[in-house]
Amino acid sequence: METLDPTDDQLVDRTKAGDARAFDELVVRFSPRLYGLIYNMTSSHEDTNDLLQEVFAKAYRSIRGFQGKSSFYTWMHTISVNMTINFLKKRNRRKTMSLDDVDNGILNDPDFIAATSNGDPSHSANLVELQKKLNESMMKLSHEHRAVVTMFDIQGMPHLDIAKILKISEGTVRSRLFYAHKQLQNHLQEFIKK
Amino acid sequence: MDNDNISKLLRLKRYEHPPAEYFENFLTEFQLRQRAEVIHRPFFQIAWDRLCHLLAPPNFPRLAMAGSFAVAVIATGSVLTWSDSETQAPLAQKIPQVSSKSSPSVQYVLPAEVVTYASARRSF
């Protein structure tokens, strides 16, 4: 007989009742997605690892205060964005990302091929150049704009979810995206297909 | 049109992720950190957590628990203070104030039994 995976809410209830393994299951479920969110805002794997640990520790400590008014998914994203923005405000230096962790699948992505086909035929050389440029462009955005771009463009989240996470209106999400895209266009002009 | 191209470029950042082993080790690291945190936490915090866990239902927010606890402490304190003043006030009224100076208005009367006993002795 097929056993259904428990829902997030069921795992939250079990955690509140003292079942630490239920929270472990939530950590496994949410860590890849939250890693992407934090990483694209910090551009540092070391900082992302530390922050993600702190995010889950904070969530575990305050899970009794989670009353289910929003989904657990939204709640976790809100904690992650707020903690990352606070961290970035304190961090003075701007770290550059490690290019070692780029999945090789990117070399076969049509969008990557299209973006780099005008230049050097060697994809790996262009990959480094493109990733460096993308990273630099993202880091030029304000923390708030970077959060919106990360969630919408990189993670593919809908405007409504982003609005709930950031506790702003959908209109504000759209205007931040518009402004951020304008800025990014200037920095990434050479890779944009005409 | 440019917006679409920007979005396509940004989507390429999805390929930047750590290897799969990272997430397998992440949970272990989290559990180790949690244990270390418990060991280094002050005793009163651990005691408070256990009290919350024992007394409050699972969905009861911790802040509400702290509020209820504070109200309970204040209420108990008020009741104790009030009952103390209630028991002490009548006693203070019953004890006669005797001054060291002899006052002509104060009359000392012997209890009836003593009078009876003295008169009985006199009768022997």
Side-chain angles (χ1 to χ4, degrees), chain A residues 53-104:
Chain A
Q53 291 282 350
E54 285 173 31
V55 164
F56 281 116
K58 184 174 183 178
Y60 188 65
R61 281 197 301 269
S62 46
I63 200 158
R64 276 175 172 273
F66 171 67
Q67 292 175 299
K69 286 175 185 168
S70 63
S71 67
F72 184 71
Y73 168 92
T74 304
W75 189 66
M76 284 304 296
H77 276 72
T78 305
I79 294 176
S80 304
V81 171
N82 289 343
M83 285 183 75
T84 308
I85 290 178
N86 284 342
F87 168 81
L88 290 170
K89 282 176 182 169
K90 288 176 195 162
R91 188 179 79 172
N92 295 322
R93 66 195 185 284
R94 288 186 169 182
K95 288 187 177 180
T96 53
M97 65 167 193
S98 161
L99 295 176
D100 299 337
D101 291 321
V102 179
D103 189 332
N104 281 337

Side-chain angles (χ1 to χ4, degrees), chain B:
Chain B
M1 185 66 193
D2 274 356
N3 256 359
D4 284 350
N5 288 326
I6 287 288
S7 292
K8 280 178 186 172
L9 276 180
L10 289 167
R11 236 172 275 149
L12 294 174
K13 280 184 74 69
R14 288 179 190 173
Y15 289 98
E16 289 171 33
H17 55 75
E21 309 90 81
Y22 169 81
F23 292 109
E24 287 163 19
N25 298 331
F26 181 81
L27 180 62
T28 313
E29 194 188 333
F30 175 71
Q31 288 166 336
L32 288 174
R33 282 199 193 195
Q34 286 291 98
R35 276 179 214 153
E37 194 184 309
V38 168
I39 290 167
H40 294 109
R41 280 178 86 190
F43 172 75
F44 71 87
Q45 272 189 353
I46 297 169
W48 172 248
D49 278 354
R50 291 199 177 158
L51 186 73
C52 286
H53 187 70
L54 279 174
L55 299 180
N59 286 320
F60 202 70
R62 191 163 283 219
L63 195 64
M65 175 73 189
S68 311
F69 187 72
V71 168
V73 167
I74 292 167
T76 310
S78 312
V79 167
L80 287 175
T81 314
W82 178 77
S83 60
D84 274 0
S85 60
E86 277 288 297
T87 51
Q88 281 171 8
L91 275 176
Q93 284 166 1
K94 280 176 191 168
I95 296 168
Q97 298 291 316
V98 180
S99 88
S100 57
K101 294 174 188 172
S102 59
S103 164
S105 61
V106 176
Q107 290 183 345
Y108 294 97
V109 178
L110 283 170
E113 291 82 12
V114 177
V115 172
T116 313
Y117 177 73
S119 56
R121 275 195 71 179
R122 247 181 267 129
S123 66
F124 283 124

